[in-house]
Amino acid sequence: MPDFGFVGPSYQAQSIYQNDQEAINWYCEIDPLRKERGVIALYPAPGLETRLALAVGGPVRGLWVIPGGAMMLAVSSDRLYAVTLGYVATQVGVLLTSAGHVSIADNGVSAYLCDGFNRYYYTWGTNTFALIADGGFTSGGFVDIVDGFLVYTNPGTNQFGCTTVNSVASGALSFGTKFTAPDNVQRVIIVNRNLYVVGEKTTEVWIDSGAFPFPFTIIAGTSMQHGTIAPNSISRLGEGFAMLAQDTRGTATVINVTGYAPTRISSFAVETAIKGYAVKSDAIGMTHQWGGHEFYMLTFPSADVTWVYDLATQLWHKRAYRDANNVLHRHRANCMAFFGGEIVFGDHQNGNLYAFSSTTYNDAMGATMPCIRRAPHLTSDLKRQFFHDLQIQFQPGVGLQTGQGADPQAMLTYSDDGGSTWSNPRWTSIGKVGKYKHRARWTQLGQARDRFFEVQVTDPVNRVVVSANLNASLGAS
């Protein structure tokens, strides 16, 4: 039974007896040149390397790389830091808040920060930081930039404003009002010079028309019947942006907006999971590229879970951090930036900055990073099946020279009742260093009418799954 679906994404249906697949810290890669084995492989999510521990202990609320890439701004708790490429941090400002997302943009001279209540600017050339209290309103939720105008929202209202061009100052009348529907503005985001004004249930698209005193005008015929319940879920993806959508018919759908057309990218399984979360409004979206894949990470802090969408394969998987009690939690990332040729992110609990690594297989602070794959149900008209052996084609010979991972192990468990109960774990070696012909194989796996297998690897090695083969026979009844 070659390629029986062992390699695949996360997909947990409303009933686990229909489908209960899981992929945690493993993502799928499709090889268009393969026709049989190895068409889809599992690759491990990148490990984490600590780059810096900011003096104030977090959470890290926002990251922003200034033009030229020689400096990154980081907000941890109520402190603003300037971080060099050598990861030396200097405090340059103090905010009035210490929790919640901080949105940052810049006009090439100054960075503009919105913390959900206030607006600030930081001019790196003169090392000047100050609170902003001008414009049509003093608060600020999210900010982006287009044509030299820094555009920002007025939280809890249908208003959004902007600075004068190439400045951090705003005129008293330099603001607009979302008017095609009465919902409040949740966020603004710029894509291809279009200003998307995302509300709670609808979205408008505006453009810089050169008007005065407010330079933006709505583009007729571009309004969308989708807004968002979670403004932090909005993140650039491909040539558009993704978000956790909400409209007059409900919420829990994830969409990708390209041009003026929203496309649903969440699966039934993802939507079923989101529907069950008591709190959805705190969802955080982040995007990064890795190995030719563009990933949209969607974390639900209250639910303590992170889903990840792969734009290349259009498949979902999960990423998780395992604590000392072997409990899985959301991914550590709270905000993200591309800095010094690395994907860097800030921790949601402390002031640590980490970088993704293709050669490190541990999680934050050296914790073990588990890779877990639960395969689909194996049944044949509910007739009894006899499972003789299972072989998984891991990339062999990846063991370390010493310590944990010198003889890397894979753990197999299985369920014969839809996941209600599980077998005792059985271990086998992936292959010590240099053992390139080693096979990861389990034998004498019993019989069942409905079986699914789960494999887990925790050793800090390159855990690639190319394919799997199951040797089984069918009984008479």
Side-chain angles (χ1 to χ4, degrees):
M1 193 184 296
D3 288 343
F4 61 95
F6 178 83
V7 175
S10 287
Y11 197 100
Q12 296 166 298
Q14 294 188 55
S15 171
I16 61 174
Y17 290 89
Q18 179 193 9
N19 205 341
D20 190 26
Q21 295 187 62
E22 190 65 281
I24 299 177
N25 294 328
W26 256 325
Y27 65 89
C28 295
E29 182 166 295
I30 300 174
D31 185 344
L33 302 181
R34 299 293 293 266
K35 301 301 180 183
E36 296 180 358
R37 299 180 66 85
V39 174
I40 305 178
L42 290 176
Y43 284 86
L48 309 183
E49 296 181 352
T50 303
R51 289 289 180 259
L52 178 66
L54 295 169
V56 176
V60 183
R61 304 167 60 196
L63 298 174
W64 184 259
V65 179
I66 68 170
M71 180 185 297
M72 178 174 66
L73 300 179
V75 178
S76 182
S77 186
D78 63 345
R79 309 301 169 91
L80 173 65
Y81 296 91
V83 181
T84 67
L85 286 170
Y87 286 96
V88 176
T90 303
Q91 182 181 315
V92 295
V94 179
L95 281 66
L96 299 180
T97 61
S98 59
H101 180 79
V102 176
S103 178
I104 311 174
D106 76 75
N107 61 11
V109 175
S110 301
Y112 206 85
L113 299 85
C114 296
D115 66 3
F117 298 93
N118 312 286
R119 292 180 281 130
Y120 317 81
Y121 77 89
Y122 171 67
T123 303
W124 51 85
T126 59
N127 198 33
T128 303
F129 176 84
L131 180 70
I132 300 172
D134 62 5
F137 48 85
T138 59
S139 59
F142 292 87
V143 62
D144 209 340
I145 187 165
V146 61
D147 298 345
F149 297 102
L150 289 156
V151 187
Y152 49 87
T153 62
N154 185 9
T157 74
N158 61 355
Q159 297 176 329
F160 58 104
C162 74
T163 65
T164 56
V165 67
N166 297 324
S167 171
V168 294
S170 300
L173 299 178
S174 189
F175 67 92
T177 302
K178 183 178 180 295
F179 60 83
T180 58
D183 52 333
N184 291 333
V185 174
Q186 293 278 63
R187 185 164 180 172
V188 291
I189 183 170
I190 309 297
V191 180
N192 297 327
R193 295 190 66 242
N194 287 324
L195 167 60
Y196 289 79
V197 183
V198 183
E200 295 165 316
K201 296 179 181 179
T202 62
T203 297
E204 299 174 356
V205 186
W206 294 53
I207 193 74
D208 175 13
S209 64
F212 183 83
F214 187 61
F216 296 94
T217 305
I218 193 170
I219 302 175
T222 60
S223 298
M224 289 174 280
Q225 299 303 307
H226 297 280
T228 184
I229 190 175
N232 279 327
S233 71
I234 297 176
S235 185
R236 302 184 192 282
L237 181 65
E239 289 300 308
F241 62 93
M243 68 179 180
L244 177 62
Q246 175 179 255
D247 55 39
T248 57
R249 294 153 292 182
T251 187
T253 302
V254 184
I255 64 173
N256 185 21
V257 178
T258 303
Y260 311 129
T263 302
R264 170 180 172 265
I265 60 174
S266 51
S267 64
F268 291 127
V270 171
E271 292 163 9
T272 295
I274 294 174
K275 183 176 64 175
Y277 301 153
V279 179
K280 307 175 184 66
S281 58
D282 61 356
I284 303 169
M286 291 164 280
T287 313
H288 66 277
Q289 296 180 0
W290 191 259
H293 300 254
E294 186 169 358
F295 294 113
Y296 170 66
M297 295 178 61
L298 184 60
T299 292
F300 294 86
S302 295
D304 203 20
V305 65
T306 297
W307 287 90
V308 184
Y309 175 74
D310 184 349
L311 184 63
T313 63
Q314 301 180 14
L315 298 174
W316 290 83
H317 66 278
K318 292 178 183 175
R319 296 196 188 174
Y321 170 83
R322 175 178 279 173
D323 66 18
N325 296 317
N326 288 328
V327 177
L328 294 178
H329 301 278
R330 56 166 282 190
H331 194 273
R332 305 292 303 190
N334 207 44
C335 50
M336 195 171 288
F338 183 68
F339 180 57
E342 299 180 317
I343 305 296
V344 179
F345 69 86
D347 197 290
H348 72 98
Q349 289 185 323
N350 55 50
N352 289 351
L353 300 181
Y354 308 99
F356 281 147
S357 171
S358 59
T359 57
T360 299
Y361 304 101
N362 284 324
D363 212 317
M365 299 168 285
T368 296
M369 178 184 288
C371 285
I372 303 170
R373 171 59 184 160
R374 186 161 61 243
H377 288 268
L378 291 172
T379 183
S380 180
D381 297 329
L382 293 179
K383 292 182 179 180
R384 195 174 303 276
Q385 299 176 89
F386 297 89
F387 301 98
H388 308 299
D389 64 82
L390 169 65
Q391 179 174 305
I392 297 179
Q393 185 184 358
F394 287 96
Q395 180 171 321
V398 296
L400 305 181
Q401 294 291 343
T402 59
Q404 182 184 1
D407 186 12
Q409 301 286 306
M411 183 185 78
L412 173 72
T413 56
Y414 53 83
S415 175
D416 297 335
D417 53 15
S420 297
T421 60
W422 290 86
S423 70
N424 292 326
R426 297 178 59 181
W427 299 83
T428 194
S429 176
I430 295 175
K432 296 181 179 181
V433 61
K435 300 296 183 180
Y436 300 115
K437 294 183 179 181
H438 184 84
R439 297 189 298 166
R441 185 168 174 259
W442 295 266
T443 61
Q444 298 178 348
L445 297 173
Q447 51 82 27
R449 300 183 188 276
D450 183 3
R451 161 75 60 88
F452 57 81
F453 294 99
E454 181 176 291
V455 171
Q456 182 174 159
V457 181
T458 58
D459 287 322
V461 298
N462 190 18
R463 298 157 283 185
V464 178
V465 176
V466 177
S467 66
N469 187 87
L470 179 64
N471 181 17
S473 59
L474 185 62
S477 62

